[in-house]
Amino acid sequence: MTQADRFYMAGVMGWPVMHSRSPMMHNYWMRQQGLNGVYVPLAIKPGTVEEALRALHPLGFSGCNLTIPHKLDAIPVVDEIDDVARRIGAISCVVVREDGSLYGTNNDWRGFLGNLRQTVPDWSGPSGPAVVIGAGGGSRAVVHALVEAGAPEVRLVNRTLARAEKLAEDLGGPIQIIPWEKRAEALAGAATVVNTTSLGMVGQPPLELPLDALEPDAVAADIVYTPLKTDFLKAAEARGNRVVGGLGMLLHQGPPAWKLWFGLEPTVTDELRAMIEESILNG
Ligand code: ATR
């Protein structure tokens, strides 16, 4: 089938899903790539993701992204899951293969790294220890990304210590677990600090993290993107640190998904970023 004969289809399964910015982003790339196609929000009720995933092939979808609450539920459903998704413990992207079988992977960690590298081009993983605040699903992708990028040490801080311990066991790598009360001291000598908790998000309490011990050339990143710049990032920026917002992690997990679904690699342009930022600012 030539490109002109084909209608390209993918989507995002979630519940709720209508708040998702993914359709806006992927449909921008459909235009950027000059394709006939669509990326749709798929409101899939909890407990029904198996039927929904199995319908992708007969409907002609190349694949889909998964969001809350389906990222974990899809694990026993897909026919093959890659090692990264298994270790992170969540599937963010499903690929429909030609024979109809389903392959599950996780591109969130690629999104985090892609965004960090686009925003701070001279950032280098091996340049120093990284501090990661939080040990939930987002943290797993971030810790994996930092280990992959060659961070010599990841200092993992979480309110619930047992959750950090489980993460370290599942992911492996040079992870040091630090108690919540010691988070300010943990910043000493770090090259990177990342908030992966929900603290600082609209409607949530702020992240309380004194930055006095943070090196001036360290990079501060957040995976929260509502607001686009959290108070944590504002405080880091005010002391001269370079900062990386959370929205780009969403944007940069898109191109790896496109490569798997369609064999194409769209780009994260300033125009795309501005479009999604505007939609967030306008609620
Ligand atoms: P996600 O999958 O989006 O990362 P999650 O799994 O609910 O979400 O994880 C949320 C993270 O924010 C966790 O690290 C959580 O800490 P606990 O493991 O101790 O629950 C952290 N978090 C949420 N509210 C917090 C608070 N008030 N103080 C400290 N940490 C908090």
Side-chain angles (χ1 to χ4, degrees), residues 227-250:
L228 291 166
K229 200 177 278 173
T230 55
D231 288 346
F232 159 60
L233 292 189
K234 284 184 187 160
E237 198 171 52
R239 357 174 17 261
N241 291 98
R242 286 171 301 171
V243 301
V244 181
L247 180 65
M249 181 172 174
L250 170 73

PDB file of all heavy atoms in Angstrom, residues 227-250:
ATOM      1  N   PRO A 227       1.020  23.501  36.678  1.00  0.00           N
ATOM      2  CA  PRO A 227       1.374  24.554  35.717  1.00  0.00           C
ATOM      3  C   PRO A 227       2.577  24.184  34.852  1.00  0.00           C
ATOM      4  O   PRO A 227       3.338  23.259  35.189  1.00  0.00           O
ATOM      5  CB  PRO A 227       1.728  25.729  36.633  1.00  0.00           C
ATOM      6  CG  PRO A 227       2.286  25.077  37.864  1.00  0.00           C
ATOM      7  CD  PRO A 227       1.482  23.820  38.045  1.00  0.00           C
ATOM      8  N   LEU A 228       2.765  24.923  33.757  1.00  0.00           N
ATOM      9  CA  LEU A 228       3.883  24.657  32.847  1.00  0.00           C
ATOM     10  C   LEU A 228       5.215  24.812  33.580  1.00  0.00           C
ATOM     11  O   LEU A 228       6.160  24.083  33.297  1.00  0.00           O
ATOM     12  CB  LEU A 228       3.823  25.605  31.650  1.00  0.00           C
ATOM     13  CG  LEU A 228       2.654  25.335  30.695  1.00  0.00           C
ATOM     14  CD1 LEU A 228       2.446  26.504  29.748  1.00  0.00           C
ATOM     15  CD2 LEU A 228       2.859  24.040  29.926  1.00  0.00           C
ATOM     16  N   LYS A 229       5.289  25.781  34.504  1.00  0.00           N
ATOM     17  CA  LYS A 229       6.495  25.921  35.324  1.00  0.00           C
ATOM     18  C   LYS A 229       6.082  25.890  36.795  1.00  0.00           C
ATOM     19  O   LYS A 229       5.391  26.793  37.269  1.00  0.00           O
ATOM     20  CB  LYS A 229       7.213  27.225  34.988  1.00  0.00           C
ATOM     21  CG  LYS A 229       8.665  27.225  35.397  1.00  0.00           C
ATOM     22  CD  LYS A 229       9.378  28.500  34.991  1.00  0.00           C
ATOM     23  CE  LYS A 229       9.823  28.472  33.539  1.00  0.00           C
ATOM     24  NZ  LYS A 229      10.359  29.786  33.109  1.00  0.00           N
ATOM     25  N   THR A 230       6.480  24.852  37.500  1.00  0.00           N
ATOM     26  CA  THR A 230       6.097  24.698  38.906  1.00  0.00           C
ATOM     27  C   THR A 230       6.900  25.672  39.778  1.00  0.00           C
ATOM     28  O   THR A 230       7.947  26.190  39.349  1.00  0.00           O
ATOM     29  CB  THR A 230       6.390  23.263  39.382  1.00  0.00           C
ATOM     30  OG1 THR A 230       7.776  22.997  39.123  1.00  0.00           O
ATOM     31  CG2 THR A 230       5.532  22.246  38.673  1.00  0.00           C
ATOM     32  N   ASP A 231       6.452  25.857  41.007  1.00  0.00           N
ATOM     33  CA  ASP A 231       7.185  26.728  41.938  1.00  0.00           C
ATOM     34  C   ASP A 231       8.601  26.196  42.178  1.00  0.00           C
ATOM     35  O   ASP A 231       9.538  26.970  42.361  1.00  0.00           O
ATOM     36  CB  ASP A 231       6.433  26.846  43.278  1.00  0.00           C
ATOM     37  CG  ASP A 231       5.183  27.701  43.124  1.00  0.00           C
ATOM     38  OD1 ASP A 231       5.052  28.390  42.087  1.00  0.00           O
ATOM     39  OD2 ASP A 231       4.328  27.664  44.034  1.00  0.00           O
ATOM     40  N   PHE A 232       8.744  24.884  42.181  1.00  0.00           N
ATOM     41  CA  PHE A 232      10.074  24.264  42.329  1.00  0.00           C
ATOM     42  C   PHE A 232      10.998  24.742  41.199  1.00  0.00           C
ATOM     43  O   PHE A 232      12.136  25.165  41.443  1.00  0.00           O
ATOM     44  CB  PHE A 232       9.908  22.733  42.332  1.00  0.00           C
ATOM     45  CG  PHE A 232      11.137  21.948  41.977  1.00  0.00           C
ATOM     46  CD1 PHE A 232      12.300  22.046  42.734  1.00  0.00           C
ATOM     47  CD2 PHE A 232      11.134  21.082  40.882  1.00  0.00           C
ATOM     48  CE1 PHE A 232      13.437  21.303  42.403  1.00  0.00           C
ATOM     49  CE2 PHE A 232      12.253  20.338  40.551  1.00  0.00           C
ATOM     50  CZ  PHE A 232      13.407  20.456  41.301  1.00  0.00           C
ATOM     51  N   LEU A 233      10.509  24.714  39.967  1.00  0.00           N
ATOM     52  CA  LEU A 233      11.340  25.161  38.836  1.00  0.00           C
ATOM     53  C   LEU A 233      11.577  26.664  38.886  1.00  0.00           C
ATOM     54  O   LEU A 233      12.670  27.141  38.570  1.00  0.00           O
ATOM     55  CB  LEU A 233      10.702  24.764  37.499  1.00  0.00           C
ATOM     56  CG  LEU A 233      10.661  23.269  37.188  1.00  0.00           C
ATOM     57  CD1 LEU A 233      10.201  23.041  35.744  1.00  0.00           C
ATOM     58  CD2 LEU A 233      12.013  22.590  37.402  1.00  0.00           C
ATOM     59  N   LYS A 234      10.564  27.402  39.301  1.00  0.00           N
ATOM     60  CA  LYS A 234      10.735  28.863  39.406  1.00  0.00           C
ATOM     61  C   LYS A 234      11.831  29.204  40.418  1.00  0.00           C
ATOM     62  O   LYS A 234      12.660  30.080  40.190  1.00  0.00           O
ATOM     63  CB  LYS A 234       9.426  29.537  39.830  1.00  0.00           C
ATOM     64  CG  LYS A 234       8.419  29.633  38.690  1.00  0.00           C
ATOM     65  CD  LYS A 234       7.189  30.394  39.162  1.00  0.00           C
ATOM     66  CE  LYS A 234       6.106  30.369  38.108  1.00  0.00           C
ATOM     67  NZ  LYS A 234       4.783  30.662  38.637  1.00  0.00           N
ATOM     68  N   ALA A 235      11.835  28.468  41.540  1.00  0.00           N
ATOM     69  CA  ALA A 235      12.837  28.718  42.580  1.00  0.00           C
ATOM     70  C   ALA A 235      14.233  28.355  42.064  1.00  0.00           C
ATOM     71  O   ALA A 235      15.208  29.071  42.320  1.00  0.00           O
ATOM     72  CB  ALA A 235      12.500  27.907  43.832  1.00  0.00           C
ATOM     73  N   ALA A 236      14.328  27.262  41.316  1.00  0.00           N
ATOM     74  CA  ALA A 236      15.637  26.852  40.765  1.00  0.00           C
ATOM     75  C   ALA A 236      16.110  27.886  39.742  1.00  0.00           C
ATOM     76  O   ALA A 236      17.289  28.269  39.729  1.00  0.00           O
ATOM     77  CB  ALA A 236      15.523  25.467  40.127  1.00  0.00           C
ATOM     78  N   GLU A 237      15.184  28.347  38.911  1.00  0.00           N
ATOM     79  CA  GLU A 237      15.532  29.321  37.875  1.00  0.00           C
ATOM     80  C   GLU A 237      15.994  30.639  38.508  1.00  0.00           C
ATOM     81  O   GLU A 237      16.955  31.261  38.036  1.00  0.00           O
ATOM     82  CB  GLU A 237      14.315  29.569  36.982  1.00  0.00           C
ATOM     83  CG  GLU A 237      14.639  30.197  35.656  1.00  0.00           C
ATOM     84  CD  GLU A 237      13.419  30.194  34.748  1.00  0.00           C
ATOM     85  OE1 GLU A 237      12.345  30.669  35.177  1.00  0.00           O
ATOM     86  OE2 GLU A 237      13.541  29.711  33.614  1.00  0.00           O
ATOM     87  N   ALA A 238      15.336  31.011  39.588  1.00  0.00           N
ATOM     88  CA  ALA A 238      15.676  32.269  40.267  1.00  0.00           C
ATOM     89  C   ALA A 238      17.112  32.243  40.815  1.00  0.00           C
ATOM     90  O   ALA A 238      17.742  33.281  40.959  1.00  0.00           O
ATOM     91  CB  ALA A 238      14.679  32.538  41.390  1.00  0.00           C
ATOM     92  N   ARG A 239      17.636  31.037  41.120  1.00  0.00           N
ATOM     93  CA  ARG A 239      19.018  30.980  41.607  1.00  0.00           C
ATOM     94  C   ARG A 239      20.001  30.731  40.478  1.00  0.00           C
ATOM     95  O   ARG A 239      21.190  30.502  40.705  1.00  0.00           O
ATOM     96  CB  ARG A 239      19.276  29.906  42.664  1.00  0.00           C
ATOM     97  CG  ARG A 239      18.182  29.113  43.123  1.00  0.00           C
ATOM     98  CD  ARG A 239      18.443  27.963  44.061  1.00  0.00           C
ATOM     99  NE  ARG A 239      19.679  27.862  44.772  1.00  0.00           N
ATOM    100  CZ  ARG A 239      20.687  27.087  44.404  1.00  0.00           C
ATOM    101  NH1 ARG A 239      20.633  26.389  43.299  1.00  0.00           N
ATOM    102  NH2 ARG A 239      21.777  27.028  45.145  1.00  0.00           N
ATOM    103  N   GLY A 240      19.508  30.699  39.222  1.00  0.00           N
ATOM    104  CA  GLY A 240      20.401  30.585  38.068  1.00  0.00           C
ATOM    105  C   GLY A 240      20.546  29.176  37.516  1.00  0.00           C
ATOM    106  O   GLY A 240      21.310  28.955  36.573  1.00  0.00           O
ATOM    107  N   ASN A 241      19.825  28.215  38.092  1.00  0.00           N
ATOM    108  CA  ASN A 241      19.901  26.850  37.548  1.00  0.00           C
ATOM    109  C   ASN A 241      19.086  26.751  36.252  1.00  0.00           C
ATOM    110  O   ASN A 241      18.086  27.445  36.100  1.00  0.00           O
ATOM    111  CB  ASN A 241      19.354  25.839  38.572  1.00  0.00           C
ATOM    112  CG  ASN A 241      20.253  25.709  39.766  1.00  0.00           C
ATOM    113  OD1 ASN A 241      20.022  26.315  40.809  1.00  0.00           O
ATOM    114  ND2 ASN A 241      21.314  24.943  39.622  1.00  0.00           N
ATOM    115  N   ARG A 242      19.519  25.872  35.366  1.00  0.00           N
ATOM    116  CA  ARG A 242      18.732  25.636  34.154  1.00  0.00           C
ATOM    117  C   ARG A 242      17.576  24.696  34.491  1.00  0.00           C
ATOM    118  O   ARG A 242      17.748  23.770  35.298  1.00  0.00           O
ATOM    119  CB  ARG A 242      19.612  25.073  33.046  1.00  0.00           C
ATOM    120  CG  ARG A 242      20.504  26.172  32.486  1.00  0.00           C
ATOM    121  CD  ARG A 242      21.525  25.647  31.559  1.00  0.00           C
ATOM    122  NE  ARG A 242      22.387  24.679  32.203  1.00  0.00           N
ATOM    123  CZ  ARG A 242      23.275  23.937  31.549  1.00  0.00           C
ATOM    124  NH1 ARG A 242      23.386  24.039  30.255  1.00  0.00           N
ATOM    125  NH2 ARG A 242      24.039  23.086  32.199  1.00  0.00           N
ATOM    126  N   VAL A 243      16.415  24.958  33.904  1.00  0.00           N
ATOM    127  CA  VAL A 243      15.227  24.186  34.279  1.00  0.00           C
ATOM    128  C   VAL A 243      14.558  23.568  33.058  1.00  0.00           C
ATOM    129  O   VAL A 243      14.624  24.101  31.956  1.00  0.00           O
ATOM    130  CB  VAL A 243      14.202  25.043  35.074  1.00  0.00           C
ATOM    131  CG1 VAL A 243      14.832  25.603  36.338  1.00  0.00           C
ATOM    132  CG2 VAL A 243      13.612  26.155  34.234  1.00  0.00           C
ATOM    133  N   VAL A 244      13.897  22.433  33.311  1.00  0.00           N
ATOM    134  CA  VAL A 244      13.241  21.665  32.252  1.00  0.00           C
ATOM    135  C   VAL A 244      11.826  21.329  32.729  1.00  0.00           C
ATOM    136  O   VAL A 244      11.653  20.623  33.719  1.00  0.00           O
ATOM    137  CB  VAL A 244      14.029  20.349  31.979  1.00  0.00           C
ATOM    138  CG1 VAL A 244      13.373  19.555  30.872  1.00  0.00           C
ATOM    139  CG2 VAL A 244      15.491  20.644  31.657  1.00  0.00           C
ATOM    140  N   GLY A 245      10.833  21.827  32.025  1.00  0.00           N
ATOM    141  CA  GLY A 245       9.435  21.594  32.411  1.00  0.00           C
ATOM    142  C   GLY A 245       8.942  20.217  31.984  1.00  0.00           C
ATOM    143  O   GLY A 245       9.602  19.511  31.213  1.00  0.00           O
ATOM    144  N   GLY A 246       7.789  19.837  32.498  1.00  0.00           N
ATOM    145  CA  GLY A 246       7.281  18.479  32.287  1.00  0.00           C
ATOM    146  C   GLY A 246       6.580  18.242  30.966  1.00  0.00           C
ATOM    147  O   GLY A 246       6.472  17.097  30.524  1.00  0.00           O
ATOM    148  N   LEU A 247       6.130  19.320  30.323  1.00  0.00           N
ATOM    149  CA  LEU A 247       5.345  19.117  29.099  1.00  0.00           C
ATOM    150  C   LEU A 247       6.133  18.381  28.019  1.00  0.00           C
ATOM    151  O   LEU A 247       5.591  17.517  27.321  1.00  0.00           O
ATOM    152  CB  LEU A 247       4.864  20.475  28.563  1.00  0.00           C
ATOM    153  CG  LEU A 247       4.034  20.385  27.290  1.00  0.00           C
ATOM    154  CD1 LEU A 247       2.731  19.653  27.555  1.00  0.00           C
ATOM    155  CD2 LEU A 247       3.769  21.763  26.713  1.00  0.00           C
ATOM    156  N   GLY A 248       7.413  18.713  27.920  1.00  0.00           N
ATOM    157  CA  GLY A 248       8.234  18.116  26.863  1.00  0.00           C
ATOM    158  C   GLY A 248       8.339  16.602  26.960  1.00  0.00           C
ATOM    159  O   GLY A 248       8.556  15.924  25.960  1.00  0.00           O
ATOM    160  N   MET A 249       8.172  16.048  28.164  1.00  0.00           N
ATOM    161  CA  MET A 249       8.238  14.591  28.317  1.00  0.00           C
ATOM    162  C   MET A 249       7.081  13.942  27.543  1.00  0.00           C
ATOM    163  O   MET A 249       7.247  12.902  26.914  1.00  0.00           O
ATOM    164  CB  MET A 249       8.161  14.235  29.799  1.00  0.00           C
ATOM    165  CG  MET A 249       8.244  12.760  30.099  1.00  0.00           C
ATOM    166  SD  MET A 249       8.370  12.509  31.895  1.00  0.00           S
ATOM    167  CE  MET A 249       8.260  10.724  31.995  1.00  0.00           C
ATOM    168  N   LEU A 250       5.927  14.606  27.608  1.00  0.00           N
ATOM    169  CA  LEU A 250       4.765  14.125  26.837  1.00  0.00           C
ATOM    170  C   LEU A 250       5.054  14.249  25.340  1.00  0.00           C
ATOM    171  O   LEU A 250       4.805  13.318  24.573  1.00  0.00           O
ATOM    172  CB  LEU A 250       3.522  14.946  27.227  1.00  0.00           C
ATOM    173  CG  LEU A 250       2.306  14.729  26.337  1.00  0.00           C
ATOM    174  CD1 LEU A 250       1.697  13.362  26.612  1.00  0.00           C
ATOM    175  CD2 LEU A 250       1.256  15.810  26.564  1.00  0.00           C
TER     176      LEU A 250
END
